[in-house]
Amino acid sequence: MTIEEIESSALGLPQEKRAKLAASLLGSLPAVLDEEEEGIDEALRRSREMDDDPGAEMTWKEVKAGLRRSD
């Protein structure tokens, strides 16, 4: 079978079986962290913070001003 055929067959499975298959396939891969993934984690963390406290948001202008003060 080709990957396309496997994917087509897998997409035909019920949602629960697709989830189990996806988990199994992901679990078969080695855990690899790199800077990009860590950056994504940081972005997600900051997004959650903004969801929790929208008043803490800053405009790009405020961020730039803050960077100039720290020099």
Side-chain angles (χ1 to χ4, degrees):
M1 287 181 108
T2 66
I3 290 180
E4 290 80 14
E5 292 170 328
I6 294 168
E7 180 183 20
S8 179
S9 293
L11 290 172
L13 294 170
Q15 182 176 348
E16 183 179 314
K17 289 190 178 194
R18 286 195 321 269
K20 285 182 181 180
L21 175 60
S24 175
L25 290 172
L26 288 173
S28 72
L29 298 173
V32 177
L33 289 178
D34 61 23
E35 290 181 26
E36 181 178 334
E37 289 175 351
E38 291 170 2
I40 291 170
D41 288 342
E42 177 66 12
L44 291 171
R45 182 190 65 76
R46 291 179 185 194
S47 178
R48 284 190 302 274
E49 284 181 357
M50 293 302 104
D51 290 342
D52 292 343
D53 183 10
E57 294 179 12
M58 297 174 68
T59 66
W60 179 236
K61 187 175 180 180
E62 292 169 327
V63 171
K64 290 190 298 186
L67 291 173
R68 278 194 278 300
R69 282 184 290 214
S70 67
D71 287 339

